[in-house]
Amino acid sequence: MTRTAIRTCPLCEATCGLELELDGDRVVAVRGDRDDVFSRGYLCPKGALFGELEADPDRLTAPRIRREGALVTASWEAAFEEIATRLHRLHATHGREAVAIYLGNPNVHSLDGQLGARPLIKALGTRNVFTASSVDQLPKHVSCGVLFGDPLAIPVPDVDRTDLLVILGANPRVSNGSLWTAPDLPRRLTELQRRGGRLVVIDPCRTRTADRADQHVAIRPGTDALLLAAVVTTLAEEDLVRLPDHLAGHVSGIDEVVAALADFTPQAVAPVCDVAAGTIRDLARELARTERACVYGRLGTTTTRFGTTTSWLVDVVNVLTGNLDVPGGAMFPTPAHHRPVRRPFRTGRWTSRVAGLPEAIGELPVATLVAEIVTPGDGQVRGLITVAGNPAISTPDSDRLDAALRDLELMVSVDPYVTATSRHADVILPPPSALHRPHLDLVFAGLAVRNVVNLSPAVLPLPDDRPHEWEILLTLSAIALGAAPPVDVDGADTFVATQLAEQLVADPTARTGGLDATSILAATGTRRGPERLAELLIRAGPYGDGFGQDLDGLTFERLEAAPHGIDLGPLTPRIPEVLRTATGRVELAPPEVLADLPRLRGELTAAPPEGLVLIGRRHLRTNNSWSHNLAALRRGRELCTLQLHPDDAAVRGVADGDLARVRSAAGEVTVTVEVTDAVRPGVASLPHGFGHDLDGVELSVAREGGGVNSNRLTPHGEVDPVSGTAVLNGIHIEVAPVSEIAQMR
Ligand SMILES: Nc1nc2c(c(=O)[nH]1)N[C@H]1C(S)=C(S)[C@@H](COP(=O)(O)OP(=O)(O)OC[C@H]3O[C@@H](n4cnc5c(=O)[nH]c(N)nc54)[C@H](O)[C@@H]3O)O[C@H]1N2
Ligand SMILES: Nc1nc2c(c(=O)[nH]1)N[C@H]1C(S)=C(S)[C@@H](COP(=O)(O)OP(=O)(O)OC[C@H]3O[C@@H](n4cnc5c(=O)[nH]c(N)nc54)[C@H](O)[C@@H]3O)O[C@H]1N2
Ligand code: SF4
Ligand SMILES: [Mo]
């Protein structure tokens, strides 16, 4: 007898509903949940293998402790004892800054991680906080922070209602969207075109998304800011700047922006971008004249030298063409959970010790983690806790970082696998799989193209001998605060919940404002952990019942009764209420970003780049570094190839299928060449997340899967200086046939 269970897919930002067929505790089939109010049955190849991922025999079920060099299985008690002894010693000898934390991407895909990581960061009391954001979307947080006063107020393309969508540096037909939650984006993009709308893709590669677009502009990598600046000058020159009525009086700095960008004319930027001036002008005119239009930039614009400035310009263009905060434009979602009003945003409240890079949203750039570990002195990082991250593969200068991790005095990894990263840990704490935990998304709902809420109960009970991930994180928090195990997890959990309840009753913008903290806490009954926190946030949120004040409002009972989710309607205009700047207006000309314009101007006169520039790509069947252990995903042709344009391949004497050496300032890899005119001349493309065949890695399938770690080529010092985000796209490389380099030696 099988049974079915409904659960939100935890693998990417699309948050599709899955219908799982279970035989006992094994998932035997996965289908898209056709009744899901948002994803309506969509399923991608990764989601389809959710069952295999859950049943992966390489997944750890018990902790590991390093003993005489080897990672041996240990009890939870012994693992926490070991951590407490060594962490307390490290803190006592070298202080709080000596212990760093790195939070990886899957943290934001679980309720445990979404709510469990904060207390740990606070408890560690270190400024050495690193996350995958600084190899990803941090520039967007910073640009929205300065524009709107809130780094989480990120407008998303209202794809279902737009008539023109201009995508820069994203490949949603493969990635399924990022900072843009819209399950089944491929269908939504097709529908946009079917109803007569246009899709323009600006990307150095003819990606799957570009291939299906109405127009593909093969821009030179790293030059999007110039192109967008020239769109702004065209709008100004041709008197095309228009604001929607409701924005009038809520936007400052229009004239300043126009003046600051005046010399970035289409003619001036065209040779640098390698895009015709006429194409840029037409783009500006089309954006201004199309009733409902939107510009969207993503990873290929954020992880570049001008990440923040480009992200800012995306929204500047949306504002000036009258497309911010209007249906069919770029809109701010209204998620169901309460979001506290934040203080006006600023970066650089502190800087990193070695490179002096600025803090942003409470973290430091991971590109500088290696420098913090290897550079002696006061505040040197000697201990590291990684949670759901694989920095040894996913972050810059991997060879050096890998070596540095080996030399740490203490390393703890909360991870279900022995990976390139966790193989260096002294203790590995494996969390249970997604089947064992409830889910309610508190991140991507704030980036979704419809307002939706969806609670997934745990599919399977957790075996008694295993802690939940939030219990692991709370135990680590208590230890970091000085507690000796066994830790009173329930006490710590109640403390966290009480703090939240007190904040919610003191917050006049919450539906719980003015209520009594003890009563709202009591109303959550027997719920514990992040589920209890989530209930507080939902009932305090904009659709919440305010704990009985609004009988039609959301309660957890209502969510439990709606396994396919609840649709809360299309996005609605939110300006001015969403703004959190000191002036309460959109600050279109923030000084932090304008200060970067001289550097951008320097690009206009810089010598054209010589040689090859490396960029990245994603595959439909891989997920960053961690889905590579599924045989079914690795089937078929080689995925980790260096794509080269035929002209570039010919000049270098390499042919399709040859092995080539690729060299950058950081390192060197040997990889198979794929000759294709899908990449523009002067550009090479290599996917990230590969290269698992390292000593000690216990990923039996991924080890054999081949491929190289592209971040061995990423220099650690190269960042977007405004946000500190690593330059992953736009790395200078040399490519030569393997035989030729051998001869040179
Ligand atoms: N060159 C290059 N580098 C890149 C990118 C690129 O495009 N090019 N992309 C960047 C981007 S966008 C990102 S987001 C980062 C990702 O970088 P990371 O977040 O550091 O790495 P992941 O590959 O996502 O590894 C996630 C780890 O979490 C573990 N894990 C999975 N589920 C759970 C769970 O439920 N709990 C816990 N505790 N652990 C879990 C996995 O076993 C794996 O070890 O990589 C970045 N690196
Ligand atoms: N299948 C799959 N889906 C995923 C992931 C995965 O690993 N696999 N990872 C998830 C994660 S963590 C994230 S953050 C998202 C990312 O999702 P997307 O933002 O869609 O990122 P990519 O698919 O890497 O596409 C980036 C594009 O930028 C282009 N590009 C590179 N440099 C430049 C440039 O200078 N200018 C312009 N205009 N374009 C440039 C590249 O050619 C590439 O097509 O995907 C998520 N979804
Ligand atoms: S698109 Fe993302 S959320 Fe949807 S099934 Fe695939 S991996 Fe899961
Ligand atoms: Mo990401």
Side-chain angles (χ1 to χ4, degrees), residues 100 102 128 130 352-355 357 364-376 380-382 384 391-392 395-408 666 711 714-718:
Y102 173 81
N128 285 310
F130 303 89
S352 70
R353 178 181 65 102
V354 179
L357 293 172
L364 290 171
V366 70
T368 195
L369 174 59
V370 64
E372 293 296 329
I373 298 174
V374 302
T375 313
Q380 179 181 8
V381 169
R382 297 160 188 272
L384 175 68
T395 73
D397 214 350
S398 308
D399 286 342
R400 281 187 69 204
L401 182 62
D402 192 64
L405 295 181
R406 199 183 46 219
D407 293 341
L408 286 167
N711 282 316
T714 314
H716 73 265
E718 280 188 30

Side-chain angles (χ1 to χ4, degrees), residues 389-623:
N390 195 0
I393 285 195
S394 295
T395 73
D397 214 350
S398 308
D399 286 342
R400 281 187 69 204
L401 182 62
D402 192 64
L405 295 181
R406 199 183 46 219
D407 293 341
L408 286 167
E409 287 173 37
L410 172 64
M411 182 169 158
V412 177
S413 289
V414 183
D415 203 288
Y417 289 107
V418 185
T419 66
T421 298
S422 64
R423 72 189 171 123
H424 295 301
D426 300 293
V427 183
I428 305 179
L429 304 169
S433 82
L435 287 180
H436 295 98
R437 56 193 185 211
H439 187 59
L440 184 130
D441 169 79
L442 299 174
V443 172
F444 304 109
L447 298 160
V449 297
R450 282 196 73 93
N451 295 316
V452 285
V453 59
N454 198 331
L455 173 71
S456 308
V459 174
L460 297 173
L462 190 64
D464 285 342
D465 59 341
R466 294 196 62 181
H468 280 287
E469 183 155 10
W470 66 266
E471 293 174 311
I472 297 173
L473 297 175
L474 264 190
T475 304
L476 288 176
S477 309
I479 291 173
L481 287 170
V487 161
D488 172 13
V489 174
D490 277 330
D493 177 39
T494 299
F495 176 77
V496 171
T498 306
Q499 269 195 329
L500 178 64
E502 282 167 0
Q503 281 163 17
L504 290 175
V505 298
D507 185 343
T509 67
R511 288 202 167 182
T512 41
L515 297 183
D516 172 56
T518 321
S519 328
I520 68 168
L521 207 54
T524 60
T526 55
R527 242 182 275 282
R528 303 164 68 229
E531 225 185 340
R532 167 161 60 178
L533 305 181
E535 176 170 2
L536 289 170
L537 290 168
I538 291 288
R539 298 181 72 181
Y543 315 87
D545 80 327
F547 289 85
Q549 300 177 81
D550 174 359
L551 294 181
D552 296 326
L554 287 180
T555 61
F556 252 41
E557 284 68 34
R558 270 192 70 197
L559 295 186
E560 278 163 345
H564 310 289
I566 297 176
D567 182 20
L568 301 164
L571 306 190
T572 49
R574 291 196 59 194
I575 287 179
E577 154 262 333
V578 75
L579 302 175
R580 296 280 178 270
T581 50
T583 55
R585 293 153 71 100
V586 176
E587 291 295 346
L588 212 56
E592 298 88 333
V593 185
L594 292 194
D596 197 36
L597 292 182
R599 193 171 66 100
L600 186 65
R601 196 165 288 117
E603 298 293 292
L604 294 175
T605 47
E610 279 176 35
L612 283 171
V613 165
L614 183 70
I615 62 172
R617 68 177 187 274
R618 286 174 156 71
H619 288 289
L620 200 54
R621 294 189 289 131
T622 63
N623 197 23

Side-chain angles (χ1 to χ4, degrees), residues 13 105 136-137 178 298-299 618 624:
E13 301 178 38
N105 167 279
D136 188 348
Q137 84 287 2
S178 183
R298 200 45 197 97
L299 202 82
R618 286 174 156 71
N624 295 328

Side-chain angles (χ1 to χ4, degrees), residues 9-16 18 42-48 175-176 183-184:
C9 178
L11 298 179
C12 90
E13 301 178 38
T15 67
C16 302
L18 303 180
Y42 180 69
L43 184 70
C44 85
K46 286 178 292 158
S175 68
N176 276 294
D184 201 358

